[in-house]
Every structure is written in structure tokens, then in C-alpha cells.
């Protein structure tokens, strides 16, 4: 897991240390020094240049040394530990009206130590400067074990407290190379390649500034005091459209004259990738054009901010302009830019795209011409790209579809990067504009700087680290940039269960969608995301989507076997929520990879007990449906019930949802015309209302709705009929195979799904749409079935079924003459099922609920039960912790709200942990009143009715 970061490279460490105190950092450094082992500091592991990996001891500062130690509001400073995540610093200071100025797109997971190591800048560098402009004091451990501290006195004069021989050696080195230090550096704002040796000149000796951007090669940062700025009261985003990216680049210097805090550029290529990944609704309205600048105007005077935005819009710089004042819409637009590194992980060609020379910068007034020449260079090498970046600063980010899986892939990489570095140098630019040089560009520094400057770098490194122990292979005596490339020549296509159609059938390509940008290590709930609930619960790298992908990448490389303990360890706490499939900018689908891994591990071998109990749940449910009261009695018997849980691999702290006294199909069979929910004594009720001619739909009744929650299915029937549809049912043997899929029993799942889609496809060919009840099962028909059945005789059936499958909300919102009930005055807490969020999309549900007039709070995140995950032995604590991230606090904050949860597992978790009922959308919309009658108001009694499947609608 720690062998890679967000770069091309894989360098396995000999040891990983996660220090809790600075003394432990010193102790680890002493051990490394004694054994001649290299020493690499690591923050969030989001380095794109390969400067957070190393062959010796890697120190993960993000796990424990991640605190804000002090905030001085008057001085506008904060004392922080190096592993502090940027977003956590902002959370600590924003309530005080302050912020840390620099904000890289990875701000939700990058650390302050990493920002100092790279001299990170971010989108708002125009307004707040680089990291180096916002650091007051630093403390370092040196390779010798000595300490060094930098600071400034009250007059702003640099101070340093460190070994005198080191300071003398640095001054002497600068003296021997005065010409290079004075003339080759600081030529424009984003020239950040190499060491900042200009700060070692005698007239401006500032060791603190020289250390920033040294990428952990000169010392180990242990503490920093950073400068804070006032957070502006008002922000306006001005979106300008242009014919193409070259025109946007030419306009950027003029835009900067309007005093923006940010000026970001991108073009149609990146937007197309986003639309392909998340659909047209993922992209807010953009001005007419093929490229755009997103410009932020900020300040404390709203009138002044709006006036400046209007002046910029009136400058007629592009094809069309939009002024965006709504913060929510601004956030949606900025997210396109923030997700750029991930979105660009797929090139316009559809092939994987990789970093290399991905953050080069040129003087801003030369950016337009550089962009034109760069596109020509890419085309000349037979590749494609989607550039974007900090156009106001002259910095361009890009990833390219290097053919790394081909035998000549590394040759193409070397040829292109050498030519690209020459192009940057021709334009007077810097091969790194904010990500650092790392392993990706250290070798290229000789193209940008003179031999004199390179010699000065070497002398600075030797003065600090004469034995080359600190992050070796980076900047000085660099490793070749085409060495240790992790994807080189790696493919894996043999005996796979899933087809991986978006990755050319190659599991290695699918797994390497994880480029390491690390969004799975962030709390994505503010943007409505789910990923990654297990990491947020444990804060362990192995429990992140990235950590899991790294271990599985080692499997397809041949370094690990499917049955290796490490594989099972990293996958154990994966909830198979599929949140990463949509929330990860590169589209990593860890739920699918986990199913594949379990399939490979246990195929034709004995499995865990829960795979036979929970994995075969539809079979056991059908058997229990023959005598549900007897099954429920056995489950409630103290000794027999608890023993049964253990035998089934279920945690004893979980209660077993009772089987419905009257399964749905038995109730359905008794309805000659229309249907209603079971009554209090669960006997079927006949409704003699005449049936008008209606549009047929096929109601896919899943095992959960059939055996545990027929009230939701019956309510769906009522809603469909009220909307002018006549539900039909497939045969009782149809099943989506979900529980077999999640437990990796994919051969069986394929057989089950093959029979199911063959029957459903016959109805689809007759023009009948399919409506699902349970989101996770509906999602299987929409997505998993296609991947699992690709290459089989049922492949076309699966595609037909996927295209015709709808959620209830999707069907209703597309029905012209249907209107929802008026729920004005009703407060609703809605918990979307994770698969609903990730595969089906919740936009139709949101739009429908808005039309009801209800006050709706839509929760982000996972409920924590996640099908079989939360009930399995060993998962209870994490399941409850995940529920505690968003769901439980929201329930506790709204004790009288109606709880809406379409997922059976979500409703079960809510009942288990908070003793509250929850409704399916159909129950909320049912034509019959859904509140309970007077006298049935206690949560426990409500729970009893829900858990015994006597629908709340039936009490009307």
C-alpha cells in the first residue's frame, strides 16, 4: 500500500512507521541511520511526482501527527503538525473568519507537510500566493539527528537556529555558484523546479524559504506555523466561454488584471470525460464554447465584488459569459476542476491516462502559444490528453495515454517526456509548477538548468544529507523517470468472472484506474458522496479504496496470490457500497473487484459460513416462506436463535428480521383485480374497484420485498395503479443474484441472472418497462448483469433489461399525467441506498420529493449495514461506526421526522440501532394515508409493526 502514491511509480519500502510523537520520529530516524536505510516522509500519499515513496523506511505522518496545536486569531497564525489534512485546518479556523490561503484541488486529503514539501499552490494562488508565502516558522529533524528551526523576527528578518557547520556549508555553496543562483531562478511565479537556491544568496539568506519545496530530501518537517488570512465575505464565479483552449490561454493574462483570486482553465475534453462518467446532469450549464475559464472574484464588499465581476463579463473576452452567485452552483462548477486529476485519468481516447510532465508552467503571457504547441506534440506522438489548470498562473495540468502496457511503452514515455521538457524550456518555463519534481522530473532538471545550477543542488543536498538517506532518487542523483513504473507491461485477462467492458476486458487496467489521488481518504459527504465509509470509520490506509486497489494491483502484477492473507485483510471491511464507482473521479468500482477477488479465492473451495447462509439468503427465504411463523418462532427462541446466528456467521448482537406472515406473491395471488396491503390479521383483502386500461409494467419483486417487506411491494402496486400502470410479475424463480454477487459466488450468480434476464427480456421486447422495488437489486439489473453476462448467450438480454429498468421515481417523474401527493408540512429524513446513489442515481427521487412540498433532508454516506456486511461476525463495530457518520446523528436531530429509506438493509439498520420505522418511497406516496392510527405512536410499537411487515398503510 505504501509502495505507491499518486504517481507512476512503485517502490516497496522495507518498513512503514506511523509515529505518534516527534520523539518517535527521531527514534525511527536513528534506527534508519544506524542501519543505513533510506528515510521518506509521507503525508496523504497524493504526490503525483513520486516523492512520497522510498526504498527504506516510510513515515506516515497523517495517521497520528495530524493536529492543530494552536490558533492565534490576533496574529492570524496556526501551529500545526505535518500530517494535518488541509481541510481539517480549514474546519478549525473558518469559524473564526480565517482560512489557510493555498488550496490544492486535493485539499480534502492532502497534508500541510506535503504542501510544504512541494510548495503547493492550488487554484487560489493568485489571491493568496504559494505555500511558501504562507509559512512563518518550521521545525525539522536533520539526517544527522540534529534539529533545525526557522522563523522571522518582528521586522520580518529571517531567523535560523541550527548546526553552524551546515549554515556555513550552505553559504559557501551559494558563494561558489552566485551567477546561477541569481540569474536562473525566480523568473516567474510558478518556477518551482529544483531547490529554491535563490534564498541562499548572501543578500537574502532565508533558509526557511529554501527548505520549502525540497520534497523531504533535506530534512524531516515536524512542526510548522502557518499564516492565515481573512476569509472573504463574498465570492462570485465568472465563467467565460472560448472557442478553444488556446484562446482561453491567451485571454488568461487579461483576466488577471481584474484582480481575481482564481483563474482556472479547461476545455471540452475534460467536460466530455465527466459527462461520460456521470451523465449530462453532472455538468451545470456552461457558457457557449469549447473551452472555459472559471474566474473567482472575492472580497468583503458585495457591491464591489459584483461590480468587478460585471466589468470582467463586459470585457468581451470570449464567446459567452455567466456570472454565478449561487454558492451551491459555484461548488458544482469548482468540483469539475477539483476532480480534474481523477477525471483526466481517462484520456479522450478512452484509454488510461498517466502523469509525467503533468504540471509544467510557463510565463502566463506565453501560455496560449504553449498550449497550441503542446497539443501538436501530443498528436505527433499518437496520444491524446485533456489539459486543464491554473491558467492565470501559466500552469497546465495534463495526463496522457502513454501505452504503458505495450512492450515499447517505456520508450514512448521517455521519448515524449524528453521532448515535452524541451518544449517547456523553449518557452522559458518550469517542468514543475507545484507538484514537485520527484521521480517523474528529477532527471529532466538538467534540460532546464545549467550544469552550474545542478552542481549547486548537489552541494546543498550534500550539506544536509551527506549519506543520501533522505528521500533518495529525488531531485539530486535522481532515478531514471522510466524506472519502477508500476503499470509497465501489466495485464490480467485470464479466467475473469466480470467482463470489464470499460477496461478492454483487462482487470489490471480496471484496478489501475486508481491513480492514487486519494479522494477515498476524504469525507465526501458535503458533496453528497458515500466513499469511503470504512476508511472514515477506521482511518486505516488498508481500509480505503486506494489501499485495497494497491494490494489488488500487486495480485495482477504477480507479486501476491489471490489467497494471500493481505488480500482478505484489505477486503474484509469493504462494504461493497459502490460509492467509489461514482465518487472516485477515476471510477474505481471496488465492490466489483471485491466480488472478483472472492470468486478467485474461493472458487471450488470451502467458503466462510456466511457465504452459505447470507449468500444463499433467497433460497432460505423461499423455504421459510412455506412456514414463516415457525421460522420466526425458531429465530426468537433464545438458545436456538443465538446458536443459529453463530452457525450462520452472524454477529449475535444483530436481531434477525422476521419473515413476513404473508409473503408478497401469496398476497398477490389472492387479488383478482386490484390489491391492497395485508390487514391487521394479515388476511388478504379484495378490492372490487374496476380496473381501467393501463400501461403494463413488469414489477421486479426481489427476495427482500417478497419475504421480509411485502408492505413496500404492495404499496408500489398501489402507486403504480394510481399512476395509470398495471403491474405484472415475473415468475417466482426470478432473482437478481445479488447475495451471490456480493459473496463472490459468481458462477452461480451468472446462472441465476442468465435465467432471470432471459425472462425479463421477453417482456422488454414487447415494449414493457421493468420497475424495481429494492435499490440494490434494481442496480444489479441496471449494471452488474451486463458485466457478468457479457460474452454469454444472455448478453443481449442483459443489455435490453438494463436499458428498460427503472426505479419507481424514474418512472413516475417521466409520467406526464401523474402528480405526487401534497406533503406540505411533512419533515422527511431520507437515506438513499448506496447502490441507488452510485448506480441508479437519486436525482429523480429528489425531484419527486421536491414536488410533494415536503421538507426533505437528504443524507450522504452509507447506513453501515450494507447487505450482509453489517451482520457478519467481525463487522458490527465498523457497521455502527459508519452509521454514526451521518445517519444516526440525523435521526437523533429529527426525532419526529418521517424516515425514508428504500433499501431494506437501511430500514433494518435504522430499526436495529434507533428503534424507528422507515418507509419505502412507495409507502410515502401510497394513495392511502400512511401515518399510524392514534395510540400507535411509540417507536418500539412502530418498529414492531415495521419489523413484522404489517404496513403502516394498512392501518388507515
Amino acid at each position: 500500500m505504501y509502495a505507491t502514491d499518486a504517481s507512476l511509480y512503485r517502490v516497496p519500502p522495507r518498513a512503514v512507521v506511523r509515529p505518534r510523537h516527534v520523539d518517535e520520529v527521531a527514534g525511527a530516524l536513528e534506527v534508519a541511520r544506524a542501519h543505513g536505510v533510506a528515510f521518506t516522509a509521507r503525508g496523504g500519499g497524493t504526490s503525483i511526482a513520486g516523492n512520497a515513496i522510498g526504498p527504506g523506511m516510510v513515515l506516515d505522518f497523517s495517521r497520528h501527527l495530524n493536529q492543530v496545536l494552536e490558533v492565534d486569531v490576533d496574529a492570524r497564525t496556526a501551529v500545526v503538525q505535518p500530517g494535518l489534512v488541509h481541510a481539517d485546518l480549514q474546519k478549525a479556523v473558518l469559524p473564526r473568519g480565517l482560512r489557510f490561503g493555498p488550496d490544492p484541488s486535493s485539499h480534502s486529503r492532502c497534508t500541510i507537510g506535503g504542501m510544504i514539501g512541494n510548495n503547493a499552490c492550488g487554484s487560489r494562488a493568485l489571491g493568496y500566493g504559494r505555500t511558501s508565502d504562507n509559512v512563518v516558522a518550521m521545525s525539522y529533524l536533520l539526517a544527522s539527528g540534529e534539529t533545525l528551526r526557522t522563523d522571522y523576527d518582528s521586522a520580518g528578518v529571517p531567523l535560523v537556529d541550527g548546526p553552524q557547520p551546515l549554515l556555513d556549508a550552505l553559504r559557501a555553496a551559494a558563494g561558489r555558484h552566485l551567477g546561477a543562483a541569481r540569474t536562473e531562478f525566480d523568473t516567474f511565479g510558478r518556477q518551482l523546479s529544483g531547490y529554491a537556491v535563490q534564498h541562499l544568496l548572501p543578500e537574502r539568506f532565508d533558509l526557511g524559504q529554501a527548505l520549502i519545496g525540497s520534497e523531504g530530501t533535506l530534512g524531516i518537517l515536524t512542526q510548522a506555523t502557518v499564516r492565515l488570512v481573512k476569509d472573504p465575505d463574498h465570492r462570485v464565479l465568472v465563467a467565460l466561454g472560448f472557442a478553444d483552449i488556446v484562446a482561453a490561454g491567451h485571454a488568461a493574462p487579461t483576466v488577471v488584471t481584474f484582480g481575481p483570486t482564481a483563474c482556472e482553465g479547461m476545455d471540452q475534453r475534460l467536460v466530455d470525460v465527466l459527462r461520460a462518467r456521470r451523465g449530462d446532469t453532472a455538468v451545470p450549464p456552461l457558457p457557449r464554447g469549447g473551452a472555459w475559464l472559471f474566474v473567482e472574484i472575492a472580497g468583503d464588499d458585495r457591491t464591489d465584488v459584483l461590480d468587478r465581476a460585471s466589468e470582467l463579463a463586459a470585457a468581451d473576452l470570449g464567446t459567452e459569459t455567466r456570472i454565478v452567485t449561487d454558492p451551491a452552483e459555484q461548488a458544482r462548477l469548482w468540483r469539475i476542476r477539483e476532480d480534474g486529476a481523477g477525471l483526466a485519468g481517462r484520456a479522450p481516447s478512452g484509454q488510461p491516462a498517466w502523469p509525467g510532465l503533468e504540471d509544467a508552467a510557463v510565463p502566463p503571457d506565453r501560455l496560449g502559444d504553449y498550449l497550441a504547441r503542446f497539443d501538436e506534440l501530443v498528436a505527433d506522438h499518437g496520444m491524446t490528453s485533456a489539459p486543464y489548470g491554473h491558467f492565470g498562473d501559466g500552469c497546465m495540468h495534463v495526463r496522457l495515454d502513454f501505452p504503458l502496457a505495450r512492450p515499447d511503452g517505456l520508450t514512448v514515455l521517455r521519448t515524449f517526456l524528453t521532448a515535452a521538457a524541451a518544449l517547456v524550456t523553449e518557452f522559458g518555463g518550469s517542468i514543475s509548477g507545484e507538484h514537485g519534481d520527484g521521480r517523474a522530473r528529477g532527471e529532466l532538471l538538467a534540460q532546464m538548468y545549467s550544469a552550474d545550477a545542478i552542481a549547486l543542488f548537489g552541494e546543498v543536498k550534500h550539506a544536509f544529507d551527506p549519506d543520501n538517506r533522505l528521500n533518495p532518487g529525488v531531485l539530486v542523483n535522481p532515478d531514471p523517470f522510466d524506472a519502477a513504473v508500476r503499470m509497465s507491461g501489466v495485464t490480467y485477462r485470464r479466467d475473469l468472472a466480470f467482463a470489464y467492458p470499460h477496461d478492454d476486458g483487462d482487470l489490471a487496467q480496471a484496478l489501475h484506474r486508481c491513480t492514487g489521488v486519494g479522494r477515498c481518504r476524504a469525507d465526501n459527504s458535503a458533496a453528497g458522496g458515500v466513499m469511503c465509509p470504512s476508511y472514515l470509520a477506521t482511518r486505516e490506509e488498508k481500509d480505503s479504496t486506494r489501499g485495497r486497489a494497491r494490494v489488488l494491483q500487486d495480485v495482477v502484477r504477480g507479486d501476491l496470490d489471490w489467497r494471500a492473507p493481505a488480500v482478505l485483510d484489505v477486503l474484509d471491511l469493504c462494504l461493497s457500497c459502490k460509492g467509489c464507482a461514482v465518487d472516485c473521479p477515476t471510477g474505481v468500482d471496488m465492490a466489483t473487484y471485491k466480488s472478483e477477488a472472492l470468486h478467485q479465492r474461493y472458487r471450488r473451495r470451502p467458503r466462510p459460513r456466511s457465504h452459505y447462509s447470507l449468500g444463499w439468503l433467497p433460497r432460505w427465504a423461499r423455504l421459510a416462506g412455506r412456514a414463516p411463523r415457525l421460522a420466526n418462532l425458531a429465530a426468537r427462541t433464545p438458545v436456538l436463535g443465538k446458536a443459529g446466528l453463530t452457525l450462520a456467521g452472524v454477529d449475535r448482537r444483530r436481531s434477525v428480521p422476521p419473515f413476513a406472515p404473508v409473503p408478497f406473491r401469496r398476497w398477490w395471488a389472492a387479488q383478482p383485480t386490484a390489491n391492497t396491503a395485508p390487514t391487521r390479521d394479515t388476511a388478504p383483502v379484495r378490492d372490487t374497484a374496476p380496473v381501467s386500461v393501463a400501461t403494463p409494467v413488469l414489477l421486479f419483486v426481489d427476495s427482500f420485498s417478497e419475504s421480509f417487506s411485502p408492505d413496500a411491494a404492495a404499496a408500489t402496486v398501489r402507486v403504480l395503479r394510481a399512476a395509470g400502470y398495471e403491474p405484472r410479475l415475473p415468475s417466482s424463480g426470478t432473482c437478481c443474484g445479488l447475495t451471490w454477487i456480493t459473496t463472490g459466488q459468481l458462477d452461480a450468480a451468472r446462472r441465476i441472472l442468465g435465467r432471470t434476464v432471459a425472462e425479463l427480456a421477453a417482456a422488454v421486447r414487447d415494449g414493457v418497462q421493468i420497475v424495481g422495488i429494492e435499490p440494490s437489486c434494481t442496480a444489479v439489473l441496471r449494471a452488474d448483469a451486463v458485466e457478468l453476462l457479457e460474452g454469454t448467450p444472455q448478453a443481449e438480454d442483459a443489455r435490453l433489461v438494463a436499458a428498460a429498468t427503472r426505479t419507481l421515481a424514474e418512472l413516475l417523474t417521466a409520467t406526464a399525467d401523474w402528480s405526487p401527493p401534497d406533503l406540505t408540512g411533512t419533515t422527511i429524513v431520507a437515506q438513499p441506498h448506496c447502490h441507488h446513489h452510485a448506480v441508479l442515481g437519486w436525482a429523480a427521487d429528489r425531484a419527486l420529493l421536491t414536488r410533494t412540498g415536503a421538507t426533505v433532508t437528504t443524507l450522504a454516506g452509507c447506513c453501515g449495514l450494507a447487505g450482509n456486511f453489517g451482520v457478519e461476525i467481525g463487522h458490527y463495530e465498523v457497521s455502527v461506526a459508519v452509521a454514526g457518520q451521518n445517519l444516526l446523528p440525523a435521526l437523533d436531530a429529527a426525532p419526529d421526522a418521517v424516515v425514508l429509506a428504500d433499501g431494506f438493509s437501511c430500514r433494518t439498520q435504522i430499526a436495529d440501532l434507533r428503534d424507528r420505522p422507515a418507509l419505502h418511497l412507495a409507502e410515502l406516496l401510497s394513495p392511502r394515508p400512511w401515518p399510524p392510527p392514534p395510540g400507535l405512536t411509540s417507536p418500539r410499537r412502530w418498529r414492531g409493526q415495521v419489523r413484522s411487515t404489517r404496513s403502516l398503510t394498512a392501518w388507515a
Side-chain angles (χ1 to χ4, degrees):
M1 290 181 293
Y2 288 88
T4 61
D5 44 21
S7 70
L8 284 173
Y9 305 101
R10 182 180 182 275
V11 180
R14 294 178 62 180
V16 175
V17 179
R18 301 188 299 182
R20 295 176 181 271
H21 307 286
V22 174
D23 289 347
E24 292 180 354
V25 179
L29 182 58
E30 182 178 352
V31 170
R33 189 168 57 251
H35 289 82
V37 174
F39 201 78
T40 299
R42 180 181 175 112
T46 57
S47 165
I48 301 177
N51 40 25
I53 53 177
M57 187 181 293
V58 171
L59 264 71
D60 180 357
F61 281 89
S62 69
R63 186 63 181 92
H64 301 295
L65 288 174
N66 54 16
Q67 300 299 305
V68 178
L69 301 178
E70 178 186 336
V71 175
D72 188 328
V73 176
D74 295 331
R76 293 187 178 179
T77 59
V79 181
V80 303
Q81 294 177 318
L84 176 68
V85 171
H86 178 284
D88 292 337
L89 174 57
Q90 301 293 49
K91 288 177 186 176
V93 300
L94 280 172
R96 309 176 195 217
L98 301 173
R99 63 174 292 124
F100 184 55
D103 60 344
S105 59
S106 58
H107 60 85
S108 60
R109 61 270 188 199
C110 74
T111 63
I112 301 300
M115 291 180 66
I116 291 173
N118 288 348
N119 198 5
C121 302
S123 299
R124 295 186 171 91
L126 287 174
Y128 305 123
R130 305 166 300 187
T131 297
S132 57
D133 301 314
N134 293 274
V135 175
V136 177
M138 297 180 292
S139 296
Y140 281 86
L141 271 172
L142 303 178
S144 63
E146 298 170 287
T147 61
L148 182 145
R149 178 172 173 78
T150 68
D151 203 342
Y152 296 90
D153 67 14
S154 58
V157 176
L159 302 175
V160 59
D161 180 10
Q164 192 59 45
L166 168 64
L167 304 181
D168 292 341
L170 294 173
R171 288 188 171 96
R176 286 190 291 271
H177 304 279
L178 288 174
R182 284 186 173 134
T183 62
E184 296 187 37
F185 298 86
D186 259 357
T187 59
F188 70 105
R190 286 298 184 101
Q191 185 187 348
L192 300 182
S193 281
Y195 292 136
V197 292
Q198 69 272 22
H199 294 292
L200 299 180
L201 289 168
E203 64 269 22
R204 58 189 294 188
F205 191 86
D206 186 341
L207 189 53
Q209 288 291 300
L211 282 166
I212 296 173
S214 59
E215 305 180 35
T217 62
L218 303 182
I220 304 299
L221 181 73
T222 58
Q223 185 173 296
T225 302
V226 297
R227 182 176 292 108
L228 306 175
V229 296
K230 183 185 181 300
D231 194 41
D233 294 334
H234 304 284
R235 298 182 188 275
V236 170
L237 190 153
V238 182
L240 296 91
F242 296 89
D244 55 38
I245 199 168
V246 174
H250 282 306
T254 302
V255 170
V256 172
T257 64
F258 288 84
T261 51
C263 176
E264 302 292 291
M266 70 192 74
D267 75 355
Q268 190 70 50
R269 289 170 284 185
L270 192 70
V271 173
D272 285 345
V273 172
L274 177 59
R275 286 197 172 108
R277 283 267 295 106
R278 297 175 184 164
D280 290 341
T281 58
V283 180
L286 293 170
R288 178 171 45 86
W292 299 272
L293 291 179
F294 289 175
V295 183
E296 182 181 82
I297 306 292
D300 295 333
D301 186 320
R302 177 175 174 79
T303 300
D304 174 67
V305 169
L306 291 173
D307 286 347
R308 288 161 56 204
S310 298
E311 289 172 7
L312 174 57
D316 196 25
L317 295 178
T319 56
E320 192 174 71
T321 303
R322 281 192 65 215
I323 297 177
V324 182
T325 58
D326 176 38
E329 187 172 0
Q330 289 180 26
R332 291 183 65 202
L333 289 165
W334 279 123
R335 188 176 178 187
I336 300 174
R337 170 59 192 86
E338 288 184 1
D339 284 349
L343 294 171
R346 284 279 149 160
S349 64
Q351 296 299 306
W354 308 99
L357 200 78
E358 88 292 326
D359 77 323
V362 299
D365 60 354
R366 305 195 69 185
L367 178 63
D369 293 336
Y370 171 75
L371 289 170
R373 289 279 301 281
F374 182 83
D375 272 349
E376 292 173 3
L377 182 67
V378 172
D380 288 346
H381 284 77
M383 295 186 293
T384 63
S385 68
Y388 64 98
H390 314 297
F391 281 21
D393 292 298
C395 182
M396 182 196 73
H397 296 321
V398 70
R399 291 173 183 245
L400 296 116
D401 45 2
F402 296 113
L404 297 179
R406 283 182 0 202
D408 65 338
L410 294 182
T411 301
V412 175
L413 177 71
R414 174 163 287 278
T415 301
F416 178 82
L417 291 185
T418 301
L423 180 64
V424 172
T425 302
E426 177 188 335
F427 276 82
S430 176
I431 59 175
S432 172
E434 66 177 344
H435 294 161
D437 298 305
R439 300 173 184 279
R441 290 177 284 277
E443 185 186 354
L444 296 170
L445 289 174
Q447 287 189 235
M448 178 179 167
Y449 290 117
S450 68
D452 199 25
I454 297 297
L456 176 54
F457 293 165
E459 292 181 31
V460 170
K461 169 70 171 175
H462 183 77
F464 276 99
D465 181 22
D467 296 322
N468 195 26
R469 298 299 181 201
L470 300 183
N471 215 6
V474 173
L475 281 172
V476 173
N477 298 320
D479 290 342
F481 60 73
D482 53 359
V485 174
R486 58 186 167 90
M487 187 53 181
S488 177
V490 180
T491 61
Y492 196 101
R493 301 174 184 271
R494 58 184 183 273
D495 299 323
L496 296 174
F498 286 100
Y500 306 102
H502 303 296
D503 297 286
D504 297 330
D506 186 355
L507 178 59
Q509 188 178 127
L511 290 168
H512 281 87
R513 280 179 175 267
C514 178
T515 59
V517 295
R519 183 173 280 277
C520 52
R521 286 171 52 100
D523 182 351
N524 296 289
S525 59
V530 169
M531 176 184 74
C532 175
S534 56
Y535 175 78
L536 294 178
T538 69
R539 299 290 173 174
E540 296 287 350
E541 176 75 14
K542 73 179 184 65
D543 298 324
S544 68
T545 305
R546 182 176 73 179
R548 296 180 178 112
R550 294 310 191 216
V551 171
L552 293 179
Q553 286 168 7
D554 283 351
V555 173
V556 298
R557 285 174 56 88
D559 297 324
L560 287 175
D561 185 83
W562 287 110
R563 296 190 296 278
V567 175
L568 196 61
D569 187 31
V570 297
L571 294 176
D572 180 49
L573 295 183
C574 173
L575 285 77
S576 295
C577 67
K578 283 188 175 288
C580 50
V582 66
D583 295 336
C584 172
T586 61
V588 171
D589 184 358
M590 189 51 62
T592 294
Y593 310 154
K594 178 180 180 179
S595 294
E596 183 76 65
L598 293 175
H599 168 75
Q600 299 290 344
R601 180 185 183 91
Y602 291 116
R603 193 178 190 186
R604 303 188 187 95
R605 296 184 181 90
R607 289 174 167 270
R609 298 191 303 275
S610 63
H611 287 202
Y612 300 108
S613 56
L614 301 172
W616 293 5
L617 183 62
R619 291 178 179 173
W620 307 133
R622 282 196 293 272
L623 289 174
R626 298 175 182 176
R629 288 185 173 85
L630 182 61
N632 291 335
L633 179 63
R636 289 196 299 267
T637 303
V639 175
L640 186 60
K642 294 298 183 184
L645 290 176
T646 301
L647 184 63
V650 174
D651 194 289
R652 288 188 174 210
R653 288 166 287 187
R654 286 294 184 185
S655 56
V656 179
F659 294 97
V662 179
F664 174 74
R665 287 178 182 272
R666 192 183 306 168
W667 169 79
W668 170 271
Q671 310 304 304
T673 54
N675 302 278
T676 182
T679 63
R680 294 190 191 196
D681 60 4
T682 70
V685 173
R686 297 177 185 273
D687 190 334
T688 58
V691 178
S692 60
V693 177
T695 303
V697 292
L698 196 63
L699 182 63
F700 185 77
V701 182
D702 57 274
S703 299
F704 305 103
S705 301
E706 163 69 18
S707 301
F708 297 100
S709 187
D711 46 344
T716 304
V717 170
R718 290 197 301 274
V719 171
L720 287 172
R721 284 188 165 150
Y725 296 96
E726 181 53 38
R728 301 174 182 175
L729 301 190
S731 66
S732 60
T734 54
C735 177
C736 71
L738 172 67
T739 56
W740 281 271
I741 293 172
T742 57
T743 53
Q745 302 179 73
L746 299 182
D747 291 332
R750 187 181 294 108
R751 291 192 295 271
I752 293 167
L753 264 175
R755 294 191 296 268
T756 296
V757 299
E759 178 177 341
L760 300 182
V764 174
R765 289 186 174 94
D766 290 336
V768 177
Q769 295 187 88
I770 302 166
V771 180
I773 303 170
E774 169 64 32
S776 54
C777 298
T778 309
V780 171
L781 300 182
R782 182 78 69 84
D784 298 84
V786 175
E787 290 209 18
L788 202 53
L789 294 172
E790 184 69 26
T792 72
Q794 293 80 34
E796 179 59 28
D797 289 343
R799 287 190 287 270
L800 282 173
V801 169
T805 298
R806 303 287 182 270
T807 67
L808 179 61
E810 287 173 338
L811 184 73
L812 294 176
T813 53
T815 302
D817 298 330
W818 179 85
S819 296
D822 185 356
L823 300 179
T824 302
T826 303
T827 300
I828 298 173
V829 173
Q831 171 67 59
H833 190 284
C834 295
H835 292 192
H836 203 152
H837 162 79
V839 178
L840 306 169
W842 211 69
D845 298 72
R846 182 178 289 106
L848 189 155
L849 291 170
T850 298
R851 290 172 61 189
T852 68
T855 301
V856 182
T857 299
T858 303
L859 305 184
C862 179
C863 76
L865 194 65
N868 55 292
F869 173 85
V871 302
E872 290 178 335
I873 292 173
H875 294 167
Y876 182 81
E877 286 79 8
V878 170
S879 174
V880 174
V882 171
Q885 292 163 11
N886 294 285
L887 174 60
L888 299 184
L891 294 178
D892 295 343
D896 298 323
V898 174
V899 182
L900 177 65
D902 281 5
F904 176 72
S905 61
C906 303
R907 298 195 297 272
T908 301
Q909 181 84 316
I910 291 165
D912 234 19
L913 301 183
R914 282 300 182 268
D915 231 6
R916 284 178 68 171
L919 303 177
H920 187 279
L921 177 63
E923 297 173 281
L924 187 71
L925 301 176
S926 174
R928 301 188 176 201
W930 51 262
L936 187 62
T937 56
S938 76
R940 184 166 296 279
R941 291 184 68 192
W942 274 47
R943 178 190 181 199
Q945 298 306 325
V946 173
R947 295 289 295 280
S948 67
T949 72
R950 293 190 177 105
S951 171
L952 298 179
T953 58
W955 292 97

